[in-house]
Amino acid sequence: MIVTLIIICEAGFWVLLAAGLALRYWARMPRASVAVLLCEPLLEVLLFVVTAIDLKNGAEPDWKHGLAAVYIGYSIALGHYTVKWVDVRVAHRFAGGPPPSTPKYGTARALHEWRVAGLWTLAALIAMGLLQGAIWYVGEDGSTSSLEAWQQRMLVVIAINVIIAGSYTVFPKKKPAGTA
């Protein structure tokens, strides 16, 4: 049930995003667009409540509950970034907006990568906090090893993002010769 709900929430995220952007750029209804986009956090609340109820009803904590925590962490930390990322591209492609501008070289690119690493770190920390809350919620009566394994995976996510950002700092990508 939890996996199905995660899939429904993910699909719902993209449906609400598409609907919000369609209202903004094609229907020219910016207020309605904002209202639709503000419904997206309700998906995470629903997933959180259902996961808590599932654990409260005696479900054995497993990878599905861990995945729910990770999804919620991602949505909280990177949801706004994802919406902005898609919005800029849709505005450029369909509404004559400016082209997306992600820095490609030097210090600007390194700073961009550190910002992204910071968002992923925040997502991982939120997931780890939710997982710890679930571990305490279940208590010593249930097996929480799968939730603890998800916490370890979140540490790996943090490490990977720090390594990527660090590589752009230590080995900055240089502009090709002859470009402005």
Side-chain angles (χ1 to χ4, degrees):
M1 177 174 95
I2 298 295
V3 173
T4 303
L5 186 58
I6 292 170
I7 293 168
I8 290 169
C9 287
E10 180 65 14
F13 174 84
W14 291 104
V15 166
L16 287 173
L17 181 56
L21 294 177
L23 286 169
R24 177 175 295 165
Y25 295 112
W26 291 297
R28 306 277 186 229
M29 300 172 66
R31 286 187 179 183
S33 169
V34 170
V36 169
L37 293 173
L38 286 174
C39 290
E40 289 186 348
L42 296 176
L43 296 171
E44 283 70 47
V45 171
L46 173 68
L47 180 59
F48 179 76
V49 168
V50 169
T51 302
I53 290 170
D54 192 43
L55 290 171
K56 180 70 173 171
N57 288 339
E60 190 70 27
D62 60 10
W63 65 273
K64 297 175 282 208
H65 299 97
L67 182 61
V70 171
Y71 178 79
I72 292 169
Y74 173 87
S75 295
I76 291 171
L78 285 131
H80 182 70
Y81 176 82
T82 304
V83 169
K84 274 180 57 176
W85 188 88
V86 172
D87 186 27
V88 167
R89 281 146 183 82
V90 168
H92 173 66
R93 175 115 171 135
F94 299 108
S101 62
T102 301
K104 293 185 171 107
Y105 307 108
T107 304
R109 179 59 186 235
L111 290 172
H112 170 76
E113 291 299 329
W114 280 109
R115 278 191 291 275
V116 172
L119 291 173
W120 275 103
T121 299
L122 178 61
L125 291 173
I126 290 169
M128 290 171 70
L130 290 171
L131 290 162
Q132 189 61 47
I135 290 168
W136 290 334
Y137 187 64
V138 170
E140 295 178 13
D141 298 337
S143 172
T144 58
S145 61
S146 65
L147 300 178
E148 292 164 359
W150 275 103
Q151 287 181 318
Q152 297 300 317
R153 289 182 190 110
M154 293 301 94
L155 291 174
V156 171
V157 166
I158 292 171
I160 288 169
N161 280 280
V162 167
I163 289 168
I164 290 170
S167 72
Y168 278 94
T169 302
V170 175
F171 307 107
K173 191 173 179 183
K174 295 179 179 19
K175 286 185 184 179
T179 60

